[in-house]
Amino acid sequence: MDRVQALDILAESDVISRVLLRPASGLQRLIITGAHWHGEEPGPLKRKLFTGGVRWPILRELRVGEGLLPHDANLVQVLAMCPNLEHLKCHIPEEGAVLKSSITNYVPRLRFVSFRGKTFQLAKVLPHLRAVREVEIKAALQRIPLFSALSSLLPKLIARDEIDPVVAALIGFPEVRLRLERSSRTCHVACRQDVLWLLVQDQFFGSITSLILVTNLPQKPLPAAPVLRTLTLLHTRDKRDTHSTFFDWQNYKSAWQTPALQTVCFGWLPETRRNDRHVVSISRQWLVSLLQDVFTFSADRRLPSLIIQNVELVDGEVKGEVVLKDLVEKVDVVQDLDWDPWAAIVPSSP
């Protein structure tokens, strides 16, 4: 083990414990996955592993699968085993001690955290993750009702400091992705009510420059977005076989203040498109109505760029009335099933 630099182990927890109790001073990457026999959850690792002085002094990446950390394992003890940790992904133990201070006090080089656990566990640990560059959380779906409130999580997830505002976001059900100026935040299995909560937060919209929406709209008007430049509206089907997002705007009766808006994209999610033979169509006249009434574009203030991505643009303009070319400088109709809307607005990390 002393010569091993990277270890990806899939086995019964007893076997994993015996292997990891051996000295491994050169270990830099460790992925632990418990074997599921006959559908049963793997048992926890031996407590001696966390209390017996095991150290991985140069470990950079640690991933621990579900059910492997003992339910009363102390998260601080886990961190003490690998003081140079940079990447951590695990399920928070059910009864383990909660962090008392910033997690970077224990592992100062930590830059990525992915935690899964009960809602109340995540809510307690999130305030101690503010100094971490990349954070993603996932509420254990089997432990919470689908529509239970996670609003205690989202405020803590986006809380950081005033000089690191949210600049790009994908707001959808069941996922929320947030790109801040110097960090990123992701919430998996976000509930619909909490997604709608986020859509009415004035301070959240104050710094957004790029936004992807793939969810129903709230009942109240959206807050002003003074610096929003790129807006992507994604079309999808829900389980009731109804379309959402696009045609929600038909019932939106307020003008949305987006004075800096330069690009609007209407797109259909690629995975939805691959599994559905139906082609979504948007009429030109409907777009004219939306651009005029909601986004207040006119002949004096035209939209620089309109993109129709994996969606059919059909005729519908009435002679003598305002037409699309009166409101938009450039229209692109694109078919690309490999299109990733998030990658289009958020460059990949170097």
Side-chain angles (χ1 to χ4, degrees):
M1 282 291 289
D2 262 343
R3 297 182 178 182
V4 174
Q5 296 182 352
L7 176 61
D8 188 341
I9 182 168
L10 167 63
E12 293 180 331
S13 56
D14 286 348
V15 175
I16 296 174
S17 298
R18 288 198 299 270
V19 172
L20 296 182
L21 280 168
R22 300 173 184 175
S25 59
L27 196 60
Q28 298 182 33
R29 183 173 184 264
L30 176 59
I31 301 176
I32 310 170
T33 308
H36 292 68
W37 299 112
H38 306 295
E40 295 183 1
E41 293 292 327
L45 299 172
K46 298 293 185 182
R47 282 201 53 78
K48 185 180 178 181
L49 181 62
F50 307 100
T51 60
V54 174
R55 292 291 183 273
W56 301 309
I58 64 172
L59 191 70
R60 300 288 187 266
E61 179 179 350
L62 174 62
R63 302 187 187 190
V64 184
E66 183 176 5
L68 290 175
L69 289 180
H71 67 89
D72 57 347
N74 191 320
L75 187 56
V76 174
Q77 291 175 333
V78 176
L79 298 176
M81 297 167 67
C82 34
N84 284 299
L85 197 64
E86 298 176 359
H87 186 293
L88 174 62
K89 185 173 184 178
C90 71
H91 296 248
I92 300 178
E94 292 187 5
E95 300 175 15
V98 176
L99 296 171
K100 301 298 183 182
S101 60
S102 172
I103 195 170
T104 54
N105 289 340
Y106 308 97
V107 279
R109 300 174 59 134
L110 192 67
R111 58 182 178 81
F112 174 86
V113 169
S114 176
F115 280 148
R116 179 174 179 176
K118 292 181 179 179
T119 304
F120 76 90
Q121 294 170 319
L122 295 172
K124 287 182 179 179
V125 78
L126 276 175
H128 303 301
L129 304 182
R130 292 183 182 180
V132 181
R133 181 175 177 180
E134 298 180 61
V135 175
E136 69 175 28
I137 60 171
K138 184 174 183 179
L141 185 61
Q142 70 274 21
R143 302 184 187 277
I144 60 172
L146 187 58
F147 292 102
S148 68
L150 288 178
S151 56
S152 61
L153 294 183
L154 288 181
K156 292 181 175 65
L157 183 67
I158 64 177
R160 210 159 188 272
D161 55 57
E162 294 181 356
I163 60 174
D164 193 20
V166 179
V167 295
L170 183 154
I171 304 179
F173 173 79
E175 183 178 57
V176 174
R177 300 186 196 178
L178 308 171
R179 174 66 66 178
L180 290 75
E181 283 189 351
R182 297 179 297 169
S183 60
S184 68
R185 300 289 184 262
T186 303
C187 180
H188 302 285
V189 198
C191 293
R192 194 181 300 275
Q193 299 99 310
D194 299 297
V195 170
L196 295 179
W197 170 86
L198 191 60
L199 288 175
V200 297
Q201 302 305 306
D202 293 333
Q203 69 276 16
F204 176 76
F205 277 92
S207 56
I208 287 286
T209 60
S210 301
L211 175 62
I212 300 172
L213 287 178
V214 57
T215 185
N216 303 104
L217 298 177
Q219 297 298 317
K220 58 169 59 177
L222 295 168
V227 294
L228 180 65
R229 295 194 297 270
T230 302
L231 173 65
T232 302
L233 304 178
L234 291 182
H235 192 63
T236 186
R237 281 184 187 270
D238 62 23
K239 293 181 180 180
R240 297 167 299 177
D241 199 38
T242 59
H243 293 300
S244 62
T245 302
F246 281 8
F247 302 116
D248 269 7
W249 293 95
Q250 290 179 333
N251 300 318
Y252 190 82
K253 304 302 181 183
S254 304
W256 186 18
Q257 298 180 41
T258 54
L261 193 58
Q262 297 178 359
T263 301
V264 177
C265 175
F266 291 86
W268 197 3
L269 283 173
E271 59 267 27
T272 306
R273 181 68 183 273
R274 288 191 182 100
N275 298 323
D276 195 333
R277 295 181 180 179
H278 179 70
V279 177
V280 176
S281 301
I282 301 180
S283 77
R284 292 175 178 270
Q285 196 57 36
W286 180 78
L287 283 175
V288 166
S289 176
L290 181 65
L291 293 174
Q292 276 188 310
D293 299 340
V294 175
F295 299 106
T296 65
F297 288 104
S298 64
D300 296 326
R301 179 197 169 227
R302 300 173 71 196
L303 175 67
S305 177
L306 174 65
I307 301 172
I308 309 298
Q309 185 83 49
N310 298 331
V311 177
E312 186 179 51
L313 181 61
V314 299
D315 292 333
E317 296 176 336
V318 179
K319 189 175 181 179
E321 294 186 359
V322 175
V323 295
L324 202 54
K325 65 181 181 182
D326 296 330
L327 305 177
V328 181
E329 295 177 7
K330 181 182 178 183
V331 179
D332 291 318
V333 181
V334 183
Q335 297 295 321
D336 179 7
L337 296 184
D338 294 322
W339 174 60
D340 181 353
W342 184 245
I345 68 170
V346 178
S348 301
S349 301

